[in-house]
Amino acid sequence: MPIRIALLRSMVIGKRRVSGADVRALAEAAGGTDARSVIATGNVVFRSRKAPATLEREMETACAAEFGQSTEIIVKTADEWRALLKANPFSKQAGTAPARVLVWAMREPLPDAGLDQLRRRASADEKVVRTADGDIYMWFGGDIDASKLPAGFGLKSLGAVGTNRNWNTVMKITAVLDEMEAAR
């Protein structure tokens, strides 16, 4: 059965912190099986034949039913996830400073105007790249806590829905994906 990767935009929903068990339950509520949560940042890898858009809708509906409100959930196929990894324009930096590489998994590509706005916010030692599939990579060469890029805006205001993970987390998700693919 195909593998899917789901990423919750927020870990606090309705004033409640979502647990790994909660994230697995959302995947299972959408008919997913063999659900495995990956660290405490709203990631779940599971098996499902359903299309990502269907899973996003069903998991968000289950989230609203469980928590009284929903958060955006981005679902990628295993092939989409692998393409996201391959598209990393900061692979050298990811090898030496993985916490400074931020990956935005997008539901749909960020419009050009939104991308331009992000690039205007970037300092001289920060870079923003949109992949061919519409996901976004950010490199933080300086103080990530002082950056204007990840905070102070929502992607919705820029015209898209997505959620971010640093490269360390991306690699942990990929390790679970690899394990599940090997178990086929």
Side-chain angles (χ1 to χ4, degrees):
M1 186 176 307
I3 299 172
R4 306 295 190 231
I5 297 94
L7 311 169
L8 277 68
R9 186 177 169 281
S10 178
M11 286 297 297
V12 178
I13 305 169
K15 297 183 181 179
R16 180 173 149 202
R17 182 157 178 81
V18 178
S19 70
D22 293 328
V23 176
R24 289 189 304 276
L26 293 177
E28 291 164 358
T33 62
D34 196 18
R36 302 178 193 188
S37 54
V38 183
I39 67 175
T41 56
N43 314 298
V44 62
V45 183
F46 60 101
R47 297 184 187 279
S48 176
R49 286 191 170 84
K50 293 181 182 178
T54 300
L55 289 166
E56 288 167 350
R57 271 191 321 276
E58 291 179 5
M59 290 177 73
E60 287 174 3
T61 298
C63 183
E66 176 66 24
F67 299 103
Q69 68 184 65
S70 187
T71 188
E72 290 89 1
I73 299 173
I74 307 302
V75 178
K76 298 280 187 186
T77 66
D79 288 343
E80 289 169 334
W81 189 259
R82 299 271 182 219
L84 175 69
L85 298 175
K86 188 175 180 181
N88 182 355
F90 306 118
S91 57
K92 181 180 175 187
Q93 295 92 328
T96 58
R100 293 178 174 275
V101 175
L102 198 63
V103 182
W104 284 86
M106 303 299 295
R107 186 173 288 172
E108 65 275 333
L110 182 66
D112 290 343
L115 182 62
D116 291 342
Q117 185 176 345
L118 283 176
R119 287 180 173 154
R120 282 192 304 273
R121 289 174 184 252
S123 67
D125 57 355
E126 297 174 333
K127 304 289 182 239
V128 179
V129 175
R130 181 176 54 196
T131 70
D133 291 333
D135 297 303
I136 299 169
Y137 275 86
M138 294 180 183
W139 163 248
F140 298 90
D143 181 4
I144 198 169
D145 292 330
S147 176
K148 295 179 183 176
L149 281 173
F153 72 93
L155 280 180
K156 280 186 178 179
S157 69
L158 299 177
V161 173
T163 187
N164 69 69
R165 302 296 186 269
N166 74 33
W167 194 252
N168 288 319
T169 300
V170 168
M171 290 292 90
K172 289 175 182 173
I173 294 167
T174 303
V176 172
L177 173 61
D178 290 345
E179 179 183 300
M180 289 178 72
E181 285 182 332
R184 281 192 219 190

